[in-house]
Amino acid sequence: MAHSASNLMHLMKFQPFMLLPALSALQNQRKNRNFVQHFRYTTEVTLKEENKITAESLYELSVDIKKIRRLKPWVLYKEVTYAKETAKILHEMGADRSDITYIFERCPEAILCRPTSISCQRDLWLSVCPNEKQLVELIKRFPETFFTIEHYEKQKSNITFFKDLGLKNTIISRLLTSAPNIFYNPVEKNKHMIETLQSNYLRLGGSQENVKTWILKLLSQDPFILLNSPVSVQENLKFFQKHDFTDLEILSLLSRLKGFIFQLNTVTMQNSMLFSKSVFKCSVQELRKLIIKCPALLYNSAPVLEERLEGLLKAGISVGQIKDTPAVLELAPEIVQYRIKKLDAIGYDIRRGNLENVTGTKKEFEATYGKIQAKRERPIFNPVAPLHIED
């Protein structure tokens, strides 16, 4: 994006007639309008002086003006700001002076929001937050998200929709900060996507009794699925059907990969499958079973798979071992090398042992490592050896 901004500055200097289309293109690439506002006002810095009232208000609140001048100077050139009013609202919510200072330094744009808009946003977020104390903590952690008030109506409609769907307030409040863009969608778009997911789940053999639970779990684990389009969902499902995956197998992949399955590129998946089929010298049916066993063969690109495969082969692991335990390809080469060396240090040779001992999460590997280490340190009991008993 920095490169895009550089190109835009070039356009301004040499091709001013192209400024508006370029601005429009950049605006579409941003989550909100902050960058466009920033760009507009930084070009006018030499034409205006800082708003002295704004600077004095921030100074009285112990805000580091130099930091704002360095990071977002355009805010100080706005003619109308609401520093004191915003500080008052935050204070009434339970924020102390240091909290307010921190929020304004992190997100100077907060002082550009109308007090009435901030109050509405506060009430909306409180509808899914337990209390004002926790809301203040959320604002401190995600000030830019809270003060993106231009999407208030969409946020309100989507919060109501998610509540009606059955999502708990704790999940909704987490999604507000971890995946705010889904609340900027028109509620109709989110509804259409949910309906698409539900209908496909049922068509693939999922039960009517479990569909709601499946959808809620999917949203809580991968809310970004709502940023996809129903078209991409249908295209990826057709890809699997074209490659003779059964409905049950597709449903299994859905359960394993959640919404990530719909973010995959069909060309990338095709190339990854061809690479795996060539390396493992397996039939189409065997390949499908390997993918169900290890979806990494599907979602990792062919170059990534090749790099990981080469790392394993250099470590002395055979292709046959990898084929029997494809889950090892889910791990980055550095992690695999570290685990192999750690096992080597206690005398366990993974080249002759079980490759599954290096797979899994960090916690799972440490548990496996502990068991192997304990087994190797345990003394061998000889039932016929004499017992030495002290008197």
Side-chain angles (χ1 to χ4, degrees):
M1 191 60 69
H3 181 67
S4 299
S6 175
N7 290 343
L8 184 54
M9 293 298 291
H10 180 79
L11 286 170
M12 284 184 62
K13 186 174 180 181
F14 298 104
Q15 303 179 54
F17 63 92
M18 293 184 68
L19 176 59
L20 290 178
L23 270 175
S24 177
L26 275 176
Q27 187 174 18
N28 290 334
Q29 295 176 40
R30 289 286 170 169
K31 294 179 181 178
N32 51 50
R33 301 170 190 163
N34 290 345
F35 178 76
V36 179
Q37 291 174 337
H38 182 180
F39 185 82
R40 185 169 67 246
Y41 282 92
T42 49
T43 60
E44 298 173 4
V45 167
T46 56
L47 304 177
K48 289 186 178 181
E49 294 182 351
E50 286 184 1
N51 186 324
K52 292 182 179 180
I53 296 176
T54 299
E56 288 172 3
S57 297
L58 292 172
Y59 180 78
E60 290 173 6
L61 293 165
S62 303
V63 175
D64 187 346
I65 306 294
K66 290 182 180 179
K67 183 180 288 186
I68 296 179
R69 286 187 181 122
R70 186 171 66 253
L71 300 177
K72 296 181 179 179
W74 58 276
V75 173
L76 299 173
Y77 289 80
K78 282 284 194 176
E79 294 181 4
V80 180
T81 59
Y82 305 94
K84 290 183 178 179
E85 294 86 344
T86 303
K88 183 174 183 292
I89 294 173
L90 291 170
H91 178 69
E92 290 172 349
M93 291 166 58
D96 59 27
R97 190 180 185 87
S98 63
D99 292 335
I100 295 169
T101 300
Y102 178 77
I103 291 169
F104 282 177
E105 288 178 355
R106 278 275 311 274
C107 181
E109 305 96 306
I111 67 174
L112 305 180
C113 302
R114 294 180 183 276
T116 52
S117 298
I118 296 175
S119 296
C120 289
Q121 186 81 325
R122 173 201 61 200
D123 294 342
L124 178 62
W125 281 46
L126 275 174
S127 69
V128 292
C129 286
N131 50 58
E132 290 186 333
K133 181 180 179 181
Q134 288 198 23
L135 179 54
V136 169
E137 289 302 313
L138 278 180
I139 296 173
K140 284 172 62 180
R141 292 173 60 196
F142 307 97
E144 293 88 354
T145 303
F146 178 80
F147 289 106
T148 305
I149 58 175
E150 63 263 34
H151 298 293
Y152 170 78
E153 290 298 334
K154 290 178 181 177
Q155 285 184 348
K156 185 178 179 180
S157 298
N158 279 304
I159 286 175
T160 300
F161 168 61
F162 290 136
K163 282 186 173 183
D164 293 342
L165 196 62
L167 277 179
K168 295 180 179 178
N169 286 345
T170 52
I171 301 296
I172 297 175
S173 63
R174 179 167 60 81
L175 297 184
L176 271 171
T177 53
S178 63
N181 281 13
I182 68 173
F183 293 88
Y184 306 159
N185 280 340
V187 68
E188 294 77 14
K189 181 180 184 300
N190 285 339
K191 285 182 178 179
H192 184 36
M193 190 63 182
I194 293 295
E195 289 168 357
T196 300
L197 292 169
Q198 287 176 328
S199 61
N200 279 292
Y201 175 81
L202 293 172
R203 186 177 57 78
L204 291 170
S207 67
Q208 186 69 52
E209 296 76 20
N210 293 334
V211 63
K212 184 176 181 179
T213 302
W214 181 78
I215 284 290
L216 295 179
K217 189 174 181 180
L218 179 64
L219 287 177
S220 62
Q221 293 180 344
D222 187 11
F224 297 102
I225 189 173
L226 294 177
L227 299 180
N228 295 330
S229 70
V231 173
S232 67
V233 172
Q234 299 299 342
E235 285 179 351
N236 281 17
L237 289 178
K238 285 180 181 177
F239 172 85
F240 293 117
Q241 290 165 347
K242 177 184 174 182
H243 288 82
D244 297 325
F245 282 84
T246 66
D247 288 349
L248 193 61
E249 288 171 336
I250 299 174
L251 200 58
S252 174
L253 285 172
L254 272 173
S255 300
R256 294 281 299 279
L257 294 176
K258 307 297 185 294
F260 182 62
I261 194 173
F262 300 124
Q263 298 173 32
L264 300 175
N265 181 281
T266 54
V267 175
T268 300
M269 288 192 290
Q270 176 71 37
N271 291 336
S272 297
M273 289 175 66
L274 289 173
F275 173 80
S276 298
K277 188 174 184 294
S278 172
V279 167
F280 297 124
K281 294 179 173 55
C282 57
S283 66
V284 173
Q285 187 177 3
E286 287 176 322
L287 179 61
R288 288 204 309 271
K289 289 181 179 178
L290 283 174
I291 290 173
I292 297 299
K293 191 176 180 181
C294 176
L297 297 175
L298 192 68
Y299 62 72
N300 281 324
S301 66
V304 169
L305 291 173
E306 184 176 13
E307 179 192 11
R308 295 184 177 185
L309 188 72
E310 286 179 355
L312 290 166
L313 294 176
K314 287 179 181 178
I317 309 298
S318 69
V319 173
Q321 282 181 291
I322 300 170
K323 185 178 179 181
D324 291 338
T325 313
V328 72
L329 293 171
E330 295 176 352
L331 303 171
E334 299 79 18
I335 295 176
V336 176
Q337 289 169 12
Y338 166 77
R339 293 181 179 184
I340 290 176
K341 287 180 181 178
K342 193 168 183 178
L343 289 171
D344 277 341
I346 59 172
Y348 185 87
D349 188 357
I350 195 67
R351 300 154 196 83
R352 295 184 178 85
N354 189 345
L355 194 55
E356 287 185 0
N357 289 328
V358 299
T359 63
T361 63
K362 180 181 178 180
K363 185 177 180 180
E364 290 169 341
F365 170 73
E366 291 299 336
T368 301
Y369 173 81
K371 290 177 182 178
I372 294 173
Q373 186 178 37
K375 187 176 180 180
R376 290 183 171 272
E377 292 177 351
R378 188 183 305 146
I380 300 174
F381 175 67
N382 187 346
V384 298
L387 296 176
H388 299 282
I389 303 174
E390 296 182 0
D391 293 336

